[in-house]
């Protein structure tokens, strides 16, 4: 089931759109904290965002830009500010479509379905994991922290995924190597050590020292 995130501060519009889209079999959530839309986006991890332009604290262009730093998820702008300048700006900021208010709910749903079909029939779904301001995009093997994007190797990406999925718990070296073997990555004890060392160096260069802790006789963990 695809998840849709609605970023709309007009509660009547947000609720109406939510109920209509849910009736088509989608899972839908509305943003409540407009001071930190990105936090809701990361925790909910939607496959599509409906984004208004005029919002409290920061406008839709700001949040589109913030989302684009960590994800290529499709974004549809919905706004009454539908003059050519706003439409062009929305597209330039990373939007995929623009629907002017007031809109027909069936047209909105058709656009949502078409964009989801075009996006995920070819590329698969986006997966994000977040911890202490660091965001791992599993789909494109990147880490994002404090406006910095870190490119990861296939093994580094998988190791970060395993550790973030088990944050607060130590993961044994054997468990990590077994998970990597499942994805057809050749890795032995020495290879794992090299990958962990490289990963720590990349994290340190981004300002994240001691992000991965060694638990002697056990393995590694993100605390």
């Amino acid at each position: 089931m695809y998840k849709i995130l609605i970023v709309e501060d007009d509660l009547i519009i947000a609720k109406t759109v939510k109920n209509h889209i849910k009736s088509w079999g989608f899972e839908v959530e509305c943003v409540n904290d407009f001071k930190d839309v990105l936090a809701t986006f990361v925790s909910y991890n939607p496959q599509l965002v409906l984004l208004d332009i005029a919002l409290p604290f920061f406008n839709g262009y700001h949040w589109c830009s913030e989302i684009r730093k960590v994800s290529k998820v499709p974004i549809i702008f919905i706004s009454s500010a539908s003059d050519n300048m706003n439409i062009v700006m929305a597209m330039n900021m990373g939007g995929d479509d623009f629907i002017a208010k007031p809109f027909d709910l069936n047209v909105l749903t058709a656009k949502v379905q078409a964009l989801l079909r075009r996006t995920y029939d070819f590329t698969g779904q986006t997966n994000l994991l977040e911890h202490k301001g660091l965001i791992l995009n599993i789909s494109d093997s990147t880490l994002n922290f404090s406006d910095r994007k870190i490119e990861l190797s296939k093994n580094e990406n998988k190791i970060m995924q395993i550790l973030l999925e088990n944050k607060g718990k130590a993961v044994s070296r054997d468990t990590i190597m077994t998970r990597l073997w499942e994805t057809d990555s050749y890795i032995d004890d020495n290879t794992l050590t090299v990958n962990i060392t490289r990963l720590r160096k990349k994290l340190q260069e981004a300002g994240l020292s001691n992000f991965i802790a060694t638990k002697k006789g056990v393995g590694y963990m993100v605390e």
Side-chain angles (χ1 to χ4, degrees):
M1 183 184 294
Y2 289 113
K3 295 193 292 186
I4 314 294
L5 180 65
I6 299 172
V7 189
E8 166 64 71
D9 64 319
D10 185 314
L11 297 181
I12 295 175
I13 294 175
K15 186 177 180 181
T16 301
V17 171
K18 178 180 179 177
N19 290 339
H20 183 80
I21 294 178
K22 280 184 73 174
S23 72
W24 283 83
F26 296 108
E27 187 178 327
V28 188
E29 190 64 68
C30 296
V31 166
N32 296 311
D33 180 7
F34 291 96
K35 284 185 179 177
D36 197 354
V37 171
L38 187 64
T40 305
F41 171 80
V42 171
S43 62
Y44 188 57
N45 195 18
Q47 279 75 55
L48 184 140
V49 177
L50 295 174
L51 180 61
D52 192 12
I53 294 175
L55 296 168
F57 305 106
F58 303 96
N59 64 29
Y61 298 134
H62 169 81
W63 292 120
C64 182
S65 177
E66 290 299 296
I67 290 170
R68 279 290 168 261
K69 290 176 183 176
V70 300
S71 174
K72 296 178 181 176
V73 66
I75 296 172
I76 298 177
F77 277 91
I78 50 173
S79 177
S80 55
S82 57
D83 56 278
N84 288 342
M85 186 180 75
N86 275 294
I87 294 172
V88 169
M89 191 167 177
M91 299 298 103
N92 287 339
M93 293 297 292
D96 296 278
D97 205 341
F98 192 106
I99 299 177
K101 295 178 183 175
F103 48 78
D104 184 284
L105 287 170
N106 290 317
V107 171
L108 173 67
T109 305
K111 282 181 172 283
V112 166
Q113 290 173 320
L115 190 50
L116 287 170
R117 187 168 57 249
R118 287 200 306 270
T119 303
Y120 298 108
D121 279 356
F122 297 102
T123 61
Q125 295 187 10
T126 299
N127 293 295
L128 302 175
L129 293 172
E130 188 273 341
H131 186 57
K132 294 183 178 178
L134 177 144
I135 300 172
L136 171 67
N137 188 327
I138 298 167
S139 300
D140 66 2
S141 298
T142 59
L143 285 173
N144 294 270
F145 178 74
S146 189
D147 288 333
R148 293 193 63 176
K149 179 172 279 192
I150 308 162
E151 302 287 340
L152 301 180
S153 69
K154 182 180 178 182
N155 284 345
E156 291 165 352
N157 183 41
K158 193 66 179 178
I159 290 167
M160 279 302 303
Q161 180 185 350
I162 295 164
L163 293 177
L164 288 174
E165 286 174 346
N166 294 277
K167 56 192 174 189
K169 296 185 288 186
V171 183
S172 71
R173 292 174 64 89
D174 286 344
T175 297
I176 296 172
M177 286 189 286
T178 300
R179 286 280 300 274
L180 288 167
W181 270 107
E182 289 171 359
T183 57
D184 298 323
S185 294
Y186 175 74
I187 188 162
D188 57 19
D189 202 63
N190 290 332
T191 309
L192 178 59
T193 300
V194 170
N195 277 273
I196 291 287
T197 301
R198 288 176 178 166
L199 187 50
R200 279 176 165 157
K201 185 179 179 183
K202 289 180 179 181
L203 290 167
Q204 188 169 359
E205 288 173 351
L208 288 162
S209 300
N210 305 316
F211 192 82
I212 299 174
T214 300
K215 294 300 173 182
K216 208 166 184 178
V218 182
Y220 306 100
M221 71 179 291
V222 168
E223 295 176 328

